[in-house]
Amino acid sequence: MNPWQDILKFAGLQADFEIIDIKQFRKLKKLEFYLNRTDDSGSCYQCGQRSSCIHSKDKIRLKDLSCFEYEVELIFDRYTLYCSKCRGYRVENFWLLRKGKGFTWRYEKHISRLCEETTNAAVGRLERLNDKTVYNIDFELLNLRLTHQPPPEDLGPDYSMDEIHWRTKKGKHPKFITNLVDLTHRKVVTNAPGRDQESARNCLLWLSKEQREEMKSIAVDLHDSYIAAVKQECKKALIVLDRFHVMKLFNESMNEFRKDQLKLATDSDEIQLLKGRNKWILLSRPENLSKTGKILLEELKGLNERVLEALLIKEQLVAFFDEQDSKEAKKQWIKFHELVVQADIKAFNSFLIRMQKWIPYLFNYFQSRISSGVIEAINHKIKTVRAMAYGYRNEFYYQLKILQRVGFLNSRFWDLPKIQGLYP
Ligand SMILES: [Zn+2]
């Protein structure tokens, strides 16, 4: 009995191999396993037909999962067989690896698993692989998941659709990705390039017909194209303009207001406080400001009366969203409207004009209180993932990464099969 055979048992290779030799490289921290195939037959790559007519054998070397702090390499023969069905010589299909790969299938799965948690560069450092190799494995396995993984069950009935910036090339229009979020699971279920009606439709059509019919509500960004797509594909869904998107737009106006005030300012302290690097003083919720932030805000209020008015308007908008009852909310909105008209601040006037056509959807918020926290948290997480990777050059890869990190396209929801075989 071969004393090494037990090692093969631990490695799950006992059925197919015998160990001829193990070489240990102490300095390199590497083990090489030289293996002998116990079976003199294999199955055709193309049709799966078994054949024992071996035409030739090629030595292959595969990186496998490491053990005892050692990198592990398996060295064994791969057969080329004569297939009677295909009437020709074919490379065999062997469960341990995918065609043309220098890694075992389980090692590829391990890399993909690591990529779910950290950046490709970090995985490369941990596993002594170059970034490009990690990228290739991650990309390919995500693609396999996308085509083989069953869709998640019991989605809905509340969703949200939102755009996320992908990148802006010099001198070109910025590019976006549209994400569809399931608000119950708090996950991105699918996404599509762009942010037009077609992008939105592509996302909605990913859902089954039943899921689209059962959609109760959907929170959208302020885009005509999104609303048109929802009306087209999910006729019963209540379209909601939620707090997060409206506040985002309002904060943009607040920032415009700050810039306008900066142009008018003459006092040097006031100029300092209104500069871009201090814009957070006006954009944060006052109660969330740090002690220093609060002091700076008070100082600015003392120097600029318009700031005082602007903050009052913002408070009123917050009060509107905090309202529980739809009737009361309408009253708060009228108050908000009046305040804006009285103050006559250019940036807020245009905010009000822009909001005018969305008002029915805005009041829907009080019928279906969609949690804006979810949308905000997901967008934040996507941005963090992108920043950690220093951006993504390939748009489709970026889409897959979103689904992997804040969606269902990962091992928590579905394990890739143990045995390679289904996959090219
Ligand atoms: Zn065949």
Side-chain angles (χ1 to χ4, degrees):
M1 182 72 188
N2 188 332
W4 282 330
Q5 204 56 26
D6 273 346
I7 293 177
L8 282 187
K9 235 189 239 173
F10 295 131
L13 299 170
Q14 76 280 12
D16 301 273
F17 299 103
E18 284 166 358
I19 294 183
I20 310 167
D21 193 12
I22 299 177
K23 281 188 186 157
Q24 180 186 16
F25 301 88
R26 282 179 195 278
K27 271 193 186 153
L28 287 171
K29 283 277 177 196
K30 190 168 158 186
L31 292 173
E32 287 183 349
F33 285 70
Y34 289 84
L35 306 169
N36 204 3
R37 297 275 295 268
T38 48
D39 197 351
D40 282 335
S41 66
S43 50
C44 166
Y45 211 96
Q46 239 167 325
C47 69
Q49 167 98 344
R50 294 294 297 181
S51 166
S52 50
C53 184
I54 297 169
H55 168 262
S56 57
K57 298 176 179 181
D58 297 299
K59 275 269 175 277
I60 54 167
R61 190 178 269 272
L62 299 180
K63 187 170 163 123
D64 197 11
L65 298 168
S66 39
C67 74
F68 312 127
E69 293 187 334
Y70 280 83
E71 263 183 53
V72 171
E73 266 188 2
L74 311 178
I75 297 115
F76 62 91
D77 285 332
R78 188 176 207 196
Y79 304 154
T80 301
L81 315 149
Y82 181 80
C83 174
S84 54
K85 234 177 166 179
C86 298
R87 300 199 173 193
Y89 296 104
R90 297 286 182 269
V91 174
E92 70 168 330
N93 182 23
F94 194 59
W95 66 272
L96 201 54
L97 73 150
R98 293 194 296 152
K99 200 174 172 181
K101 302 294 167 189
F103 311 99
T104 60
W105 168 243
R106 59 193 186 190
Y107 185 72
E108 289 193 281
K109 277 174 50 179
H110 167 67
I111 294 300
S112 153
R113 176 75 192 82
L114 292 178
C115 289
E116 291 172 2
E117 304 291 340
T118 185
T119 63
N120 293 358
V123 176
R125 283 192 297 276
L126 290 168
E127 292 289 322
R128 291 199 264 171
L129 297 172
N130 74 45
D131 294 7
K132 182 76 187 156
T133 307
V134 176
Y135 167 85
N136 285 339
I137 294 176
D138 188 36
F139 200 173
E140 284 177 27
L141 267 56
L142 279 170
N143 258 308
L144 288 176
R145 275 188 181 281
L146 196 69
T147 44
H148 292 85
Q149 184 169 328
E153 285 168 21
D154 59 297
L155 292 181
D158 300 307
Y159 298 84
S160 125
M161 191 148 50
D162 201 4
E163 70 191 21
I164 190 118
H165 177 249
W166 170 41
R167 68 169 179 186
T168 310
K169 267 193 181 173
K170 250 191 178 166
K172 292 204 173 154
H173 289 301
K175 289 199 165 180
F176 294 88
I177 298 209
T178 297
N179 288 313
L180 181 66
V181 174
D182 172 294
L183 292 172
T184 317
H185 293 83
R186 300 166 171 245
K187 302 274 176 222
V188 177
V189 292
T190 188
N191 50 27
R195 57 167 172 178
D196 55 11
Q197 194 170 337
E198 209 42 43
S199 320
R201 275 194 73 215
N202 283 337
C203 285
L204 295 171
L205 290 173
W206 181 89
L207 297 171
S208 70
K209 195 167 169 256
E210 290 74 33
Q211 285 166 337
R212 286 199 300 278
E213 276 168 9
E214 282 161 17
M215 185 184 286
K216 219 173 92 197
S217 71
I218 180 163
V220 292
D221 213 340
L222 296 86
H223 286 315
D224 289 318
S225 52
Y226 282 3
I227 292 179
V230 173
K231 283 184 175 166
Q232 193 180 353
E233 301 300 339
C234 313
K235 296 196 169 60
K236 285 186 211 153
L238 188 73
I239 298 170
V240 179
L241 258 194
D242 74 302
R243 186 178 189 144
F244 171 70
H245 290 117
V246 178
M247 287 315 283
K248 202 169 79 180
L249 190 72
F250 182 81
N251 275 336
E252 281 165 29
S253 307
M254 185 62 109
N255 205 28
E256 282 306 308
F257 161 75
R258 177 190 61 77
K259 286 182 199 162
D260 291 342
Q261 291 301 303
L262 182 59
K263 280 181 208 150
L264 297 171
T266 46
D267 182 288
S268 65
D269 284 340
E270 193 189 347
I271 291 173
Q272 283 311 314
L273 287 168
L274 285 168
K275 275 195 172 164
R277 65 184 151 86
N278 282 328
K279 68 178 175 190
W280 53 273
I281 303 176
L282 286 176
L283 300 184
S284 315
R285 295 182 80 157
E287 66 271 25
N288 291 345
L289 284 172
S290 66
K291 215 173 165 187
T292 338
K294 279 177 187 148
I295 292 168
L296 292 176
L297 182 63
E298 285 309 311
E299 216 174 298
L300 183 57
K301 279 172 162 176
L303 289 164
N304 187 321
E305 271 182 31
R306 297 295 265 169
V307 167
L308 217 63
E309 287 180 283
L311 288 169
L312 214 63
I313 289 172
K314 186 175 174 174
E315 254 172 55
Q316 183 55 39
L317 187 59
V318 171
F320 163 72
F321 277 117
D322 281 344
E323 202 55 70
Q324 293 300 317
D325 175 71
S326 142
K327 251 191 192 163
E328 290 303 311
K330 277 182 190 164
K331 284 184 198 161
Q332 296 283 15
W333 181 259
I334 292 168
K335 246 184 175 171
F336 172 76
H337 195 284
E338 280 169 4
L339 278 180
V340 174
V341 172
Q342 270 169 29
D344 195 22
I345 291 168
K346 201 178 122 207
F348 295 155
N349 288 342
S350 35
F351 170 78
L352 208 55
I353 292 167
R354 250 193 100 179
M355 285 307 296
Q356 213 60 43
K357 70 170 176 179
W358 307 108
I359 280 180
Y361 306 123
L362 184 63
F363 289 137
N364 281 350
Y365 176 72
F366 298 93
Q367 273 185 62
S368 173
R369 277 192 166 266
I370 283 171
S371 162
S372 306
V374 179
I375 306 168
E376 205 171 347
I378 285 181
N379 282 351
H380 181 73
K381 203 165 171 198
I382 295 172
K383 281 178 192 161
T384 313
V385 168
R386 191 189 55 198
M388 277 174 68
Y390 301 107
Y392 291 101
R393 260 175 283 170
N394 182 312
E395 188 178 35
F396 186 49
Y397 185 55
Y398 183 38
Q399 282 179 246
L400 291 173
K401 287 306 270 186
I402 292 172
L403 296 175
Q404 179 191 51
R405 300 296 282 270
V406 288
F408 293 95
L409 208 64
N410 53 56
S411 52
R412 252 161 298 148
F413 291 94
W414 191 66
D415 242 344
L416 282 161
K418 269 200 176 128
I419 293 170
Q420 161 311 118
L422 283 168
Y423 307 128

